């Protein structure tokens, strides 16, 4: 496998994002070249197949030297048409096949959250994992993750290396969150303050906050 530069970006609406990119000299083609992008994975493109077909030029679907692939929500699932959606751009001739239904479950695939591209030696899963929405969609999210894992295992069984890119909508570790959103574990903070080398000034400041 040769070196590749893979970029993943939750664009939260491709229509608006591509317009912002066009404000810079050279537009989308120059953006790809400037960042030396080999594979570009987007999540939350928020497009339907009909919208894409009607605005190929405006949406930058055709970029010289690249092919584009989309998985869209056409409204067949639990969510309305145009929500979610993922897209993958790759250098021309590097994708052997693409599938917008790689999970093998119509209800999951209809939401346009997973796109598989086969690059020969490896396959790439571009995903937008469901948000658990305060718990309401947690069962659906877990079902999606199980199906994704099974799909990845099927590809490995075929001898393919598997790459996963996208927005996983999860926080497994404290460092996965911005520091302003992290909870303070008071007992551990107390232990840290009691450690040798911590100044009295730092202890006093922390104690004032915790008081």
């Amino acid at each position: 496998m040769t070196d590749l530069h893979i970029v993943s970006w939750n664009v939260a609406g491709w229509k608006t994002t591509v317009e912002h990119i066009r404000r810079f000299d050279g537009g989308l083609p120059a953006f790809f070249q400037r960042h030396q992008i080999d594979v570009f994975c987007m999540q939350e493109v928020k497009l339907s197949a009909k919208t894409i077909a009607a605005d190929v030029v405006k949406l930058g679907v055709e970029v010289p030297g690249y092919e584009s692939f989309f998985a869209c929500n056409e409204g067949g699932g639990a969510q309305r048409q145009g929500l979610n959606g993922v897209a993958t751009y790759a250098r021309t001739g590097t994708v052997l096949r693409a599938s917008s239904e790689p999970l093998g479950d119509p209800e999951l695939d209809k939401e346009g959250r997973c796109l598989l591209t086969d690059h020969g030696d490896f396959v790439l899963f571009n995903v937008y994992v469901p948000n658990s929405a305060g718990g309401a969609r947690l069962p659906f999210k877990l079902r999606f993750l199980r199906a994704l894992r099974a799909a990845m295992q099927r590809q490995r069984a075929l001898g393919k290396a598997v790459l996963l890119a996208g927005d996983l909508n999860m926080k497994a570790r404290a460092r996965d969150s911005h520091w302003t959103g992290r909870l303070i574990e008071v007992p551990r903070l107390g232990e840290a303050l009691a450690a040798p080398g911590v100044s009295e000034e730092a202890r006093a400041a922390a104690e004032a906050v915790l008081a």
Side-chain angles (χ1 to χ4, degrees), residues 67 69 93-98 117-121 160:
E67 298 174 280
F69 309 89
T94 61
V95 175
L96 302 182
R97 67 181 181 90
T117 47
D118 187 337
H119 300 256
D121 292 334
K160 298 280 190 179

Side-chain angles (χ1 to χ4, degrees), residues 42-188:
M42 297 188 293
Q43 303 82 44
E44 275 200 286
V45 294
K46 297 182 179 180
L47 299 171
S48 67
K50 183 177 180 180
T51 302
I52 294 170
D55 289 319
V56 169
V57 175
K58 186 176 180 181
L59 293 172
V61 175
E62 297 177 350
V63 177
Y66 292 83
E67 298 174 280
S68 62
F69 309 89
F70 289 80
C72 302
N73 180 352
E74 303 299 343
Q79 296 186 315
R80 65 176 174 82
Q81 184 183 45
L83 285 180
N84 314 319
V86 292
T88 300
Y89 286 69
R91 290 192 184 275
T92 301
T94 61
V95 175
L96 302 182
R97 67 181 181 90
S99 173
S100 60
E101 301 177 338
L103 302 179
D105 182 325
E107 187 177 0
L108 297 176
D109 285 319
K110 281 180 182 177
E111 290 204 357
R113 293 181 176 276
C114 188
L115 177 64
L116 178 148
T117 47
D118 187 337
H119 300 256
D121 292 334
F122 70 94
V123 295
L124 172 64
F125 285 86
N126 177 9
V127 303
Y128 176 48
V129 174
N131 189 310
S132 54
R137 298 203 87 200
L138 182 58
F140 186 84
K141 179 176 185 174
L142 295 177
R143 180 177 156 199
F144 180 96
L145 291 171
R146 286 192 293 268
L148 175 61
R149 182 181 182 185
M152 294 169 69
Q153 288 175 331
R154 286 194 295 272
Q155 293 300 317
R156 290 191 182 100
L158 295 174
K160 298 280 190 179
V162 175
L163 301 183
L164 175 63
D167 184 344
L168 300 183
N169 251 325
M170 62 181 71
K171 297 174 287 188
R173 301 156 299 183
R175 66 183 179 182
D176 294 330
S177 299
H178 188 269
W179 68 268
T180 56
R182 298 177 192 172
L183 297 177
I184 296 175
E185 297 183 33
V186 176
R188 292 188 61 187

